[in-house]
Amino acid sequence: MPANYSGTWDIVNNENFEGYMVALGIDFATRKMAGLLKPQKVIEQDGDSFTIKTLTSFKNYSCSFKIGEEFEEVTKGLDNRKCKTLVNWEGDKLVCVQKGEKKDRGWTHWVDGDTLYLELKCGDQICKQTYKKTA
């Protein structure tokens, strides 16, 4: 049985977000503003169907998907690019591959108790985020 990701998660650590945003080609002013934000993730899981909402005081982003089914995504929360996105289970980890203009792009989520980990990858840049469950 895969892990249960459902809940509300508040960010507590955000390592190399600047490097990740540079790799995405995000402009200086937007990077500086985004670096100050404290995102909250709200994850709704029903078996292999997910909705992940990223909420901030500046912008909100929502993504719904089913494990193993590729879909077209517009990354409006970040760089506003279209990509083909596929999320699969690797053990208890959610592993996402995003194919599009940027190479080697994707993310990995995993849960350990009341801690949610997220690694965002673009090219040779990896951003490591840690969230604590609040609800």
Side-chain angles (χ1 to χ4, degrees), residues 2-26:
N4 181 4
Y5 286 75
S6 292
T8 300
W9 308 84
D10 289 342
I11 198 163
V12 293
N13 189 39
N14 195 0
E15 179 184 322
N16 196 37
F17 192 49
E18 173 79 9
Y20 173 72
M21 290 189 293
V22 168
L24 288 173
I26 295 173

Side-chain angles (χ1 to χ4, degrees), residues 6-80:
S6 292
T8 300
W9 308 84
D10 289 342
I11 198 163
V12 293
N13 189 39
N14 195 0
E15 179 184 322
N16 196 37
F17 192 49
E18 173 79 9
Y20 173 72
M21 290 189 293
V22 168
L24 288 173
I26 295 173
D27 68 85
F28 178 81
T30 303
R31 288 196 321 265
K32 294 306 164 199
M33 187 181 313
L36 298 173
L37 299 174
K38 300 294 182 197
Q40 180 181 70
K41 294 223 178 258
V42 178
I43 302 177
E44 299 167 9
Q45 178 182 358
D46 182 9
D48 281 346
S49 295
F50 285 81
T51 297
I52 299 178
K53 298 174 187 170
T54 304
L55 310 174
T56 71
S57 56
F58 177 63
K59 243 184 216 185
N60 296 330
Y61 179 69
S62 181
C63 179
S64 296
F65 59 89
K66 188 166 183 174
I67 299 295
E69 293 183 8
E70 187 175 71
F71 63 99
E72 187 168 291
E73 179 180 14
V74 178
T75 57
K76 288 185 181 180
L78 282 171
D79 58 337
N80 206 31

